[in-house]
Amino acid sequence: MRLPSVAPAVTRTISIVLAVAAVGVLAFTALADRNGGRRPAAAPSQPATPVAESTMPGSIDLPPTSAPATPRVRAADARTWLRALAGKWTQDARKNYFQFQPDGTGEWVAFGQKLWTGKATPRDATTFDLSDRSGQGASYWRVTLVSGGRSLFFAGTQTTYRKA
């Protein structure tokens, strides 16, 4: 006499449990990734009591600036420093370079596309702010001459260019 085997019933039960677990993992993953893996930003809290505004003459607050004011530079120093910046600074002569004129006007070409055109304004003999039309801020649009003026460091991409 032969006893009935329980192996098919056990195998079927294990298969059903594994299928349910897989569906659960997929559902959990879908819910977790619903916001691109990011939690929604918290709503800004309001102060418990309103802030009183001053009515005194001359008490108008100016909006904060994103960067410190450009230091005062003598015109003769600015011309000298801009001449040091003038020329072509390359990583790849055709596809990735900065080109500056002696008056400070220039362009940045990367990946074969012109990504910036504007004017460099000297902060000192080695640091120049580039005109910012994108709203990135002065800390992004800044170049610095390094290695005794043989290289140019672009803060925006943390990349160094060599004088051509």
Side-chain angles (χ1 to χ4, degrees), residues 82-90 97-102 105-107 152 162-164:
L82 287 170
R83 277 194 299 272
L85 180 67
K88 191 170 190 176
W89 303 86
T90 67
Y97 63 88
F98 277 93
Q99 176 80 43
F100 291 102
Q101 302 304 319
T105 58
E107 67 181 5
L152 177 129
R162 299 264 178 228
K163 184 98 179 212

Side-chain angles (χ1 to χ4, degrees), residues 29-52:
T29 303
L31 288 174
D33 288 342
R34 179 181 60 200
N35 290 330
R38 289 175 264 126
R39 293 178 186 229
S45 62
Q46 297 292 330
T49 57
V51 178

